[in-house]
Structures are given as C-alpha cells and as structure tokens.
C-alpha cells in the first residue's frame, strides 16, 4: 500500500513537471512609455521698454527659460531717423506705435537685443510700423520684411552709434527666423511671402486649444490657444492683452491688480496642468512689454514661470529652438528610414 502511494506521488510530480514545461511563459511586466517633456513657449511682442528687457532676462536667468522677442523695427529708429521707414501704402516716418525715444534709447535697446541673443533667446520680427496687413499683397509684405531686415542690419550705422559690435551685420542677416503679425492679422499673401523672405516659422495663429504646430510650405505655424479663465472658465486667447480686455475692458484699473494677477496665474496654471497631466501639447503664452493693469500679467507670468520652468520634466524654450528640434528630428527620421 505504501508503495502505491509512492507511485501515485511520483506520477503526480512528473505530471506537474510536464505541465510546467508546457505552461505559457511569464509575461514581461508592462512599462508605460515615458512622457515627453512639457514644452512652454513664452513670447513678448513689440519689445520696447528697456526695463522690461532687463526684467524678462532676469526672469529667464532665474528659471532657465528661453524666450522669443518679437521686435518692432521702428524701435530701432529715433525721431530724427524715422524717415528711414515707410510702410506699404504709408508715408515715410509713419508708425502705429511710435519710434525709439532718442539715439541713446535706441543704443540701449540694441544692447538688450545683443545680450538677449547671446543668452540664447530668440529674436523674431513683429514687422515694423505695427500696421494691419490683412489687405496687403505679397509684394507689400515683402516690402515690409525688406524694411525690417535693412533697418535691423544697419541700425548702428543709421543712428551713427559706435562702436558697432563685431559680427552684428551677419547676426542681423541670419538671426530673425520667425514672425508674428501685428494684431495677429494675416492674409493668404503673407503665407506666400514668408518662405520667400527667409522665415522658418509664424506665430500669428489662434487655436481652440494647445496643439502640435504643423509645418506647411516650409513654415511652422504656431497658435496662441484659447484657455479657460475666470469664475465661469470662459475661453480667452492666452495673451496679456486679451486678459486686459476681459478683466477691465482695456481700461486701467490698478486697484484690482491683485485680483487680475491671481486670475491670470490661475488660468495659466490650469492650462499648464491640463497638458502636463494629459497629452503634453506645447503651451504657448503671449505678452507685451506694456504693464497692463499695473503689471498684473507680468506678475502672474513671473509666479507661473518660477514654478513650472524649473521642473525637471518641463522646458520653457523659444519658438526658434522648438522648430530646430522638430526639423532635426524630421531629418534624422528621414536619414534613418
């Protein structure tokens, strides 16, 4: 009887080994793919006031961010040299945003441009006289772009500012690769003119939400997204001027600056959190050098950037750098595929 139990036990053990041999191999542990870094694109239009140049550059140094400055080239001309610019269909010396205040003012702005570029920031074009080009022809846009490049390249010579930094003209010929239209006002001829004028990207669009910028006809197209804002989470274009109009009807209300700062900060952070915890689409935020509502929107920006740009999985980079990475990736895929 004992022998029978031993035979049965041996048989069961053998059966277990056979079953183990033919069992499904253990499944490898699934690992979720790593998320890409969250990209934040912060830009400034017009880029006039010297104090705001200095303030933004200081913010970048604190946070490791790189910004894009869309410069209006009339700010490289003083009242004495304003005749050097004539917008399409406009008399010489006309501008919707004025000119530089003086030769010294222009010299200081040129130095800020030089310093910002040396620190890795992106210098883009905001055209020259801040005119609405929605009805311009392709020839009109090319004329405006030619004025931008001529004034930028010859800025020191036009105002007899010396010494001109070594390499300035070469820098001026090649540095400006991006454009944002005044008033975000565009037309079909603009997009025909941009590649001919040597631009690589345009940041004049508006989108319903953050999205991947497409590239068409050699131009990468960025768009300021609509983001929820305020007690009712109503969508607003992610730009300080649009918040200014939303909050105070475009009229200064300095007594409410703290409230507006908090609302703007909350809107920026909510939009960021949606992408950071979701698909991680690039988030674009736009500003001006004008301190609307007693600087509410710059105060919100500094608080926001100070919290998010320092994160290990966040990059606050310029449009130029985003385009360069995108195109390098496409080139690598093309070579490897």
């Amino acid at each position: 009887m004992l022998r029978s139990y031993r035979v049965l036990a041996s048989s069961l053990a053998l059966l277990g080994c056979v079953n183990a041999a033919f069992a499904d191999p253990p499944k490898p542990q699934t690992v979720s793919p790593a998320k890409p870094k969250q990209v934040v694109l912060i830009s400034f239009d017009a880029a006039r006031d010297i104090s705001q140049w200095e303030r933004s550059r200081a913010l970048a140094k604190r946070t490791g961010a790189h910004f894009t400055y869309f410069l209006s080239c009339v700010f490289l001309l003083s009242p004495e040299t304003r005749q050097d610019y004539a917008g399409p269909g406009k008399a010489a010396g006309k501008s919707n945003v004025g000119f530089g205040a003086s030769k010294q003012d222009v010299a200081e702005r040129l130095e800020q441009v030089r310093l910002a570029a040396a620190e890795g920031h992106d210098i883009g074009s905001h055209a020259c006289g801040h005119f609405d080009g929605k009805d311009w022809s392709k020839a009109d846009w090319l004329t405006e772009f030619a004025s931008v490049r001529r004034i930028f390249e010859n800025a020191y010579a036009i105002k007899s500012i010396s010494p001109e930094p070594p390499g300035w003209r070469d820098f001026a010929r090649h540095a400006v690769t991006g454009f944002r239209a005044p008033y975000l006002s565009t037309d079909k001829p603009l997009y025909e003119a941009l590649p001919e004028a040597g631009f690589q990207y345009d940041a004049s669009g508006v989108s319903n939400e953050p999205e991947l910028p497409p590239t068409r006809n050699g131009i990468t197209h960025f768009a300021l997204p609509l983001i929820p804002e305020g007690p009712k989470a109503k969508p607003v274009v992610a730009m300080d001027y649009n918040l200014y109009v939303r909050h105070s009807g475009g009229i200064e209300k300095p007594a409410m600056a703290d409230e507006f700062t908090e609302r703007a900060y909350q809107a920026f952070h909510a939009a960021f959190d949606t992408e950071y915890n979701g698909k991680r689409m690039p988030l674009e935020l736009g500003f001006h050098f004008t301190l609307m509502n007693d600087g509410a929107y710059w105060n919100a920006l500094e608080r926001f950037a100070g919290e998010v740009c320092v994160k290990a999985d966040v990059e606050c980079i310029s449009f130029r750098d985003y385009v360069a990475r995108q195109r390098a990736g496409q080139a690598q895929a093309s070579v490897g595929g």
Side-chain angles (χ1 to χ4, degrees), residues 194-278:
L194 283 171
E196 188 169 325
F199 289 102
Q200 295 182 4
Y201 74 83
D202 171 73
S204 308
V206 174
S207 59
N208 289 328
E209 59 186 1
E211 62 183 19
L212 286 175
T215 298
R216 297 186 294 269
N217 195 26
I219 301 295
T220 302
H221 296 266
F222 293 93
L224 286 159
L226 295 172
I227 61 174
E229 188 278 334
K232 297 182 179 180
K234 291 176 61 178
V236 66
V237 177
M239 191 172 229
D240 56 359
Y241 179 76
N242 300 80
L243 290 165
Y244 179 52
V245 173
R246 163 74 60 83
H247 292 164
S248 60
I251 300 171
E252 286 295 315
K253 293 185 178 180
M256 300 182 68
D258 289 346
E259 176 185 334
F260 297 149
T261 297
E262 184 64 22
R263 281 182 57 167
Y265 166 79
Q266 293 295 341
F268 298 157
H269 221 302
F272 170 84
D273 289 342
T274 297
E275 298 310 320
Y276 185 73
N277 298 319

Side-chain angles (χ1 to χ4, degrees), residues 48-69:
R48 179 173 185 168
D49 293 350
I50 305 302
S51 61
Q52 298 305 95
W53 275 103
E54 294 171 339
R55 183 175 174 182
S56 61
R57 288 175 46 235
L59 173 61
K61 289 175 183 177
R62 292 196 304 272
T63 62
H66 286 124
F67 302 137
T68 296
Y69 296 91

